Amino acid sequence: MSFKATVLTLYPEMFPGHLGHSLAGRAAERGDWSLDAVNIRDFADDKHRSVDDTPAGGGAGMVLRADILGKAIDAVSGADARPRLLMSPRGRPLTQKRVRELAEGPGVVIVCGRFEGVDQRVIDGRDLEEISIGDYILSGGEPAALTLLDAVVRVLPGVMGNALSGAHESFENGLLEHPHYTRPAEWEGEGIPDVLTSGNHAAIDRWRHEQALALTRARRPDLLDRKS
């Protein structure tokens, strides 16, 4: 069973973007996953293909209409089992744990918001899971959707050439990743730590864990709080 992603967007031309290249692109060519970008405007019911209106209660900007977006969601997902996601700065932060959970499923339906936001009634009525990729604001949900899909596709079975290559990355074990080194043995007067060329795999594992712990403590102590 391949992973099927459907993205609802006002800018379908933004997809697949970088996902058409490298590991993700080759995986799509093999049929490991697929991506369908659907224009929300196709579900508008007027000649101007309007999808938004002024916010109830007043205020700046425009809001995506529940009736139009609800119709679009129903058309692309119906009663299938794929989770429905809304890329939103007020959503729960995306984690590697959630990425792996999504990768183990049949796929996702992703709604990309624009303007001031999405009518709350469609969020509630279509059970949209709001997901954030960081504490900052983007012009729309498309870059966030591409980021989420990048994270998910790379952990699908067979996408990474070495099955172990993702096992020791940042966040996989609750820590940031340890430093990496490769040839040349010396560069600008700096060498490779001796332990990495010692051939002592137990010592190397200990060094990598200690480095990961130190980096996490210095840069992301919140991750250690979650582990305790």
Side-chain angles (χ1 to χ4, degrees):
M1 179 181 69
S2 65
F3 183 91
K4 180 181 179 182
T6 302
V7 178
L8 287 168
T9 172
L10 295 177
Y11 298 96
E13 63 273 15
M14 295 179 70
F15 296 88
H18 71 280
L19 297 177
H21 304 275
S22 189
L23 292 175
R26 291 194 291 272
E29 291 174 359
R30 290 194 304 268
D32 295 339
W33 77 291
S34 64
L35 172 61
D36 187 20
V38 178
N39 195 332
I40 298 170
R41 292 192 188 279
D42 290 345
F43 301 90
D45 51 14
D46 67 337
K47 66 178 182 180
H48 300 294
R49 304 176 80 201
S50 303
V51 297
D52 59 326
D53 210 329
T54 55
M62 305 292 279
V63 176
L64 277 172
R65 287 171 45 173
D67 56 342
I68 304 301
L69 189 51
K71 191 189 308 183
I73 294 169
D74 293 345
V76 302
S77 67
D80 73 30
R82 291 181 296 166
R84 298 164 174 176
L85 313 179
L86 171 64
M87 307 313 300
S88 166
R90 73 177 196 180
R92 290 190 176 92
L94 181 64
T95 64
Q96 192 66 17
K97 178 177 182 291
R98 187 64 181 126
V99 164
R100 288 204 171 270
E101 289 171 349
L102 292 172
E104 291 169 0
V108 290
V109 175
I110 304 178
V111 176
C112 297
R114 281 270 161 177
F115 315 122
E116 286 301 305
V118 172
D119 190 306
Q120 185 65 40
R121 291 171 296 180
V122 75
I123 298 174
D124 298 336
R126 295 300 181 269
D127 195 24
L128 301 184
E129 175 188 351
E130 296 184 70
I131 291 183
S132 169
I133 63 165
D135 296 338
Y136 46 85
I137 306 299
L138 300 170
S139 299
E142 288 80 11
L146 287 165
T147 297
L148 182 145
L149 287 172
D150 186 295
V152 171
V153 168
R154 68 187 300 278
V155 297
L156 293 175
V159 173
M160 286 189 285
N162 182 349
L164 295 177
S165 63
H168 303 294
E169 295 179 323
S170 291
F171 311 115
E172 287 290 355
N173 60 0
L175 300 175
L176 299 183
E177 193 173 12
H178 58 76
H180 293 280
Y181 297 86
T182 187
R183 293 179 290 183
E186 186 173 318
W187 180 74
E188 293 189 351
E190 295 292 331
I192 295 173
D194 292 338
V195 65
L196 296 180
T197 58
S198 68
N200 185 331
H201 296 294
I204 291 171
D205 286 343
R206 284 195 301 273
W207 180 88
R208 286 174 170 169
H209 178 74
E210 290 166 358
Q211 291 291 313
L213 191 60
L215 278 170
T216 305
R217 187 176 292 116
R219 299 179 184 179
R220 291 292 305 276
D222 59 296
L223 295 176
L224 297 178
D225 292 339
R226 295 178 199 171
K227 289 172 68 70
S228 59

